[in-house]
Amino acid sequence: MKDEKRLAVREFTHWSKGYDRSILQWLLFSPSHQALIKRIREVAGDRPTRLLDVGCGTGVFAALVRSTLPNVQVWGIDLVGGMLEKGRARWQEHRGRVLPVQGDSENLPFETGVFDLVTCANSFHHYPRQDRAVQEMARVLRPGGRLLLIDGYRDNIWGWFIYDVCVSTVEQCVHHASAGRFRALFSDAGLGSVVQHVHHGPAPFILNEGIAPAGVPRPHFGGLRVATSRPSIDEVGRGD
Ligand SMILES: C[S@@+](CC[C@H](N)C(=O)[O-])C[C@H]1O[C@@H](n2cnc3c(N)ncnc32)[C@H](O)[C@@H]1O
């Protein structure tokens, strides 16, 4: 595993113990989760929906989805076993409708085209290969499926100070992408209709949204592992 990922594992294994009580839950995570819930409700309505939450942590967002949007089935993936372990009670409570998986955002252990929605909240700045992660999120979306990605907004002076100065000092090896960089990453991954919303506040964040093309071959995924080597999402979920 590369050094940056080792750092992330060390940081979140340590942080997992007090993670759910962090002031960031109130300052950043909860507002960003509410923004995602609002958007999911708008785009999915009451339809049965398969959602993958990348960098799911202790499952706070997954549990919120289940309690507010009962027709959404959630798969959560996180690199750090300690974070998933800390969310054990949540996974148990929503057993069968929320399925945690340990894995890397840059190499998702799912077949191509199986999710209606992919979400990623407050995790993306930890990924060393952000291009690869967005390509993977786009790959697992069905045609017409939607990626909703939230991370800290660093394109104004306050956001820059919070994320590029303070957060970068506390957490090493983090990279908060600019709005322009997000647009380029989404476009390179074949995602269209890209829309961005900035939420201002003490900890500003940006919600980036893009849609997987309908029925268009995506040749830039040719270099990734073939889909047939991956388990189906039903297989991945079984036994959790
Ligand atoms: C700040 S927490 C956010 C958790 C959750 N999404 C939320 O909003 O509360 C970031 C999460 O990203 C996970 N993470 C870091 N690097 C990752 C990677 N390469 N693949 C998957 N998850 C990763 C960490 O383990 C951690 O749980």
Side-chain angles (χ1 to χ4, degrees), residues 100-169:
V101 179
Q102 187 171 3
D104 189 346
S105 60
E106 296 171 10
N107 193 9
L108 296 173
F110 299 102
E111 291 173 304
T112 296
V114 287
F115 291 103
D116 303 295
L117 292 173
V118 173
T119 54
C120 178
N122 313 305
S123 177
F124 193 71
H125 55 279
H126 292 284
Y127 306 161
R129 287 288 315 274
Q130 297 184 329
D131 54 346
R132 173 85 182 211
V134 176
Q135 285 180 2
E136 277 291 86
M137 295 179 207
R139 178 185 65 75
V140 299
L141 279 171
R142 66 162 171 78
R146 205 175 285 253
L147 171 60
L148 302 171
L149 194 164
I150 281 186
D151 212 355
Y153 178 68
R154 41 80 64 210
D155 288 353
N156 62 17
I157 188 78
W158 179 241
W160 168 82
F161 176 70
I162 300 246
Y163 297 111
D164 283 5
V165 178
C166 300
V167 175
S168 291
T169 304

Side-chain angles (χ1 to χ4, degrees), residues 5 8 12 15 19 25 29 33 53-57 60 77-80 83 103-106 121-123 126-127:
K5 287 193 188 156
F12 283 102
W15 195 10
Y19 182 81
Q25 295 290 347
F29 302 155
H33 296 167
D53 186 39
V54 179
C56 63
V60 175
I77 186 162
D78 202 282
L79 185 65
V80 180
M83 291 294 277
D104 189 346
S105 60
E106 296 171 10
N122 313 305
S123 177
H126 292 284
Y127 306 161

Side-chain angles (χ1 to χ4, degrees), residues 183-202:
R183 286 195 298 277
L185 288 168
F186 275 42
S187 164
D188 290 350
L191 296 165
S193 307
V194 176
V195 176
Q196 298 175 300
H197 290 291
V198 176
H199 294 249
H200 295 282

Side-chain angles (χ1 to χ4, degrees), residues 9-86:
V9 171
R10 198 182 319 148
E11 175 188 340
F12 283 102
T13 302
H14 179 72
W15 195 10
S16 62
K17 298 170 187 71
Y19 182 81
D20 288 351
R21 296 188 306 274
S22 163
I23 190 171
L24 289 177
Q25 295 290 347
W26 167 77
L27 211 54
L28 175 60
F29 302 155
S30 175
S32 67
H33 296 167
Q34 292 297 342
L36 281 178
I37 293 287
K38 178 170 179 290
R39 193 63 190 130
I40 295 168
R41 189 175 279 126
E42 284 167 1
V43 299
D46 291 336
R47 283 189 299 281
T49 299
R50 288 175 153 185
L51 182 153
L52 173 66
D53 186 39
V54 179
C56 63
T58 58
V60 175
F61 175 65
L64 183 65
V65 171
R66 284 300 308 155
S67 55
T68 52
L69 303 164
N71 289 331
V72 180
Q73 174 149 22
V74 185
W75 281 255
I77 186 162
D78 202 282
L79 185 65
V80 180
M83 291 294 277
L84 294 172
E85 181 57 32
K86 193 66 191 172

